[in-house]
């Protein structure tokens, strides 16, 4: 979708981090923007912070884990702006426990937000974009954790691999309809993802404290350190806009993380070679 000005974008997880940066970049490109998020106060602050950018920025409370909530947010967007063209299924959370603490609550929460949140977004907006026929673009936020698993047996990585697969599957199906698909795969970005527990609904139970001496706790501490040293969200958002304009499927932001991807592909190819012998 080359021309963004005058079009409308809907972004989930838009109260902070990458989602907020995408919202700002869309507004600066002349788009109308609906910011959707579960965190009420942060969302109010976000929409206020974008007050001077773009033609119109609105917000809607939305829990992407709940299909009815996403439906309501979609309707609010159509009511506010008419046709929606760009949909960013970006909301995401992280939780873990490692192999010594496989919490089903953690798995359900992360799967509901990171994976089903994308399903709900596609389900609520795709029929609308197809029907208005003005073209569109779907951006699904995965992660480098959807390309390589450096996080062990974790729901986060499992959901991000799924988001990559869903996006790869959607892209050729939507291309003939004039709808592009991008899957965003960042490495570490300086955001609030390390404090995801702030948005954990009660129905998934409390966040369990990790044994400070466990490998899982060491991994969480290392991830927090790397997030702090991570890329600015605005840099990621600029790459997303570029991918929408050029209709590119994969959006990578950390080329220095290429080596482990190459190693993964080489291991797969070696196993295929063995199967062929
Ligand atoms: N920060 C990183 O290093 C990094 C790297 C790769 C991928 N990502 C992905 O980027 C996306 C955005 O995360 P971020 O890093 O900006 O973190 P963030 O915590 O700053 O933003 C995530 C947003 O999602 C919202 N959210 C959480 N649960 C929600 C729900 N059920 N419904 C609606 N909104 C909900 C939060 O309130 C928050 O505003 C996520 O999908 C994350 O997995 C982040």
């Amino acid at each position: 979708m080359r021309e963004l000005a005058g079009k409308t974008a809907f972004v989930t997880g838009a109260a902070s981090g990458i989602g907020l940066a995408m919202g700002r970049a869309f507004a600066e490109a002349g788009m109308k923007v609906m910011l959707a998020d579960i965190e009420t106060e942060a969302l109010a602050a976000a929409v206020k912070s974008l007050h001077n950018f773009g033609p119109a920025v609105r917000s809607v409370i939305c829990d992407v884990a709940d299909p009815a909530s996403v439906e309501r947010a979609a309707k609010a967007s159509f009511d506010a702006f008419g046709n929606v063209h760009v949909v960013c299924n970006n909301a995401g959370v992280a939780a873990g426990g490692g192999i010594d603490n496989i919490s089903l609550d953690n798995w359900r929460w992360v799967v509901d937000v990171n994976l089903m949140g994308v399903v709900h977004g596609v389900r609520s907006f795709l029929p609308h974009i197809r029907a208005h026929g003005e073209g569109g673009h779907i951006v699904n936020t995965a992660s480098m954790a959807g390309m390589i698993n450096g996080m062990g047996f974790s729901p986060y990585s499992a959901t991000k691999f799924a988001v990559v697969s869903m996006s790869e599957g959607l892209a050729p199906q939507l291309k003939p309809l004039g709808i592009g698909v991008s899957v965003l795969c960042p490495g570490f970005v300086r955001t609030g993802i390390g404090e995801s527990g702030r948005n954990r609904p009660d129905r998934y139970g409390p966040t369990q404290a990790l044994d400070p001496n466990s490998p899982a706790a060491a991994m969480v501490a290392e991830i927090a350190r790397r997030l702090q040293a991570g890329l600015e969200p605005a840099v990621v958002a600029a790459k997303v806009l570029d991918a929408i304009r050029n209709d590119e499927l994969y959006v990578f932001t950390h080329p220095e993380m290429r080596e482990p991807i190459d190693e993964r592909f080489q291991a797969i190819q070696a196993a295929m070679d063995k199967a062929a012998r």
Side-chain angles (χ1 to χ4, degrees):
M1 226 175 69
R2 288 220 70 86
E3 193 49 64
L4 299 183
K7 305 262 174 54
T8 297
F10 172 86
V11 185
T12 68
S16 69
I18 296 169
L20 177 56
M22 289 198 288
R24 176 174 169 165
F26 289 138
E28 287 177 327
M31 298 185 80
K32 292 166 270 182
V33 185
M34 182 64 91
L35 307 174
D37 204 285
I38 198 173
E39 199 175 6
T40 310
E41 282 178 24
L43 186 59
V47 77
K48 207 169 159 196
S49 77
L50 299 190
H51 195 244
N52 291 326
F53 301 100
V57 180
R58 300 262 193 97
S59 66
V60 61
I61 294 291
C62 170
D63 178 357
V64 299
D66 174 3
S69 178
V70 179
E71 276 288 305
R72 283 194 295 274
K75 184 168 184 313
S77 307
F78 309 148
D79 289 347
F81 295 131
N83 292 347
V84 174
H85 306 84
V86 172
V87 174
C88 299
N89 297 306
N90 168 76
V93 293
I99 53 173
D100 296 322
N101 179 14
I102 298 171
S103 153
L104 294 183
D105 280 340
N106 281 355
W107 276 87
R108 288 193 182 108
W109 177 44
V110 178
V111 167
D112 281 353
V113 176
N114 294 10
L115 198 163
M116 293 312 294
V118 176
V119 174
H120 298 154
V122 172
R123 176 177 172 271
S124 290
F125 283 93
L126 181 55
H128 163 83
I129 299 175
R130 289 180 74 166
H132 70 56
E134 295 174 0
H137 203 98
I138 294 173
V139 179
N140 297 326
T141 302
S143 169
M144 280 301 286
M147 287 279 149
I148 42 167
N149 190 337
M151 303 181 79
F153 182 67
S154 78
Y156 187 80
S157 200
T159 57
K160 296 304 186 181
F161 265 75
V163 172
V164 170
S165 168
M166 284 155 58
S167 307
E168 288 175 341
L170 257 184
Q173 286 188 285
L174 299 191
K175 200 174 180 60
L177 307 174
I179 304 170
V181 177
S182 295
V183 58
L184 173 61
C185 299
F188 291 98
V189 185
R190 198 179 314 173
T191 71
I193 192 84
E195 292 87 47
S196 291
R198 70 192 190 279
N199 294 311
R200 182 177 173 124
D202 292 343
R203 64 183 183 274
Y204 297 105
T207 303
Q208 287 151 337
L210 292 172
D211 172 354
N213 298 316
S214 67
M219 182 181 281
V220 168
E222 175 60 15
I223 288 172
R225 195 188 62 72
R226 291 198 193 183
L227 286 171
Q228 273 310 307
L231 209 58
E232 284 303 321
V235 178
V236 177
K239 287 186 186 290
V240 169
L241 263 71
D242 186 64
I244 295 172
R245 289 192 172 109
N246 294 301
D247 194 11
E248 290 165 354
L249 175 58
Y250 300 107
V251 188
F252 291 115
T253 57
H254 291 66
E256 68 276 17
M257 293 177 80
R258 180 183 183 138
E259 202 177 312
I261 297 184
D262 287 343
E263 284 170 7
R264 175 167 178 260
F265 289 157
Q266 280 161 14
I268 291 168
Q269 282 170 352
M272 291 299 283
D273 288 345
K274 184 178 176 192
R277 280 196 294 273

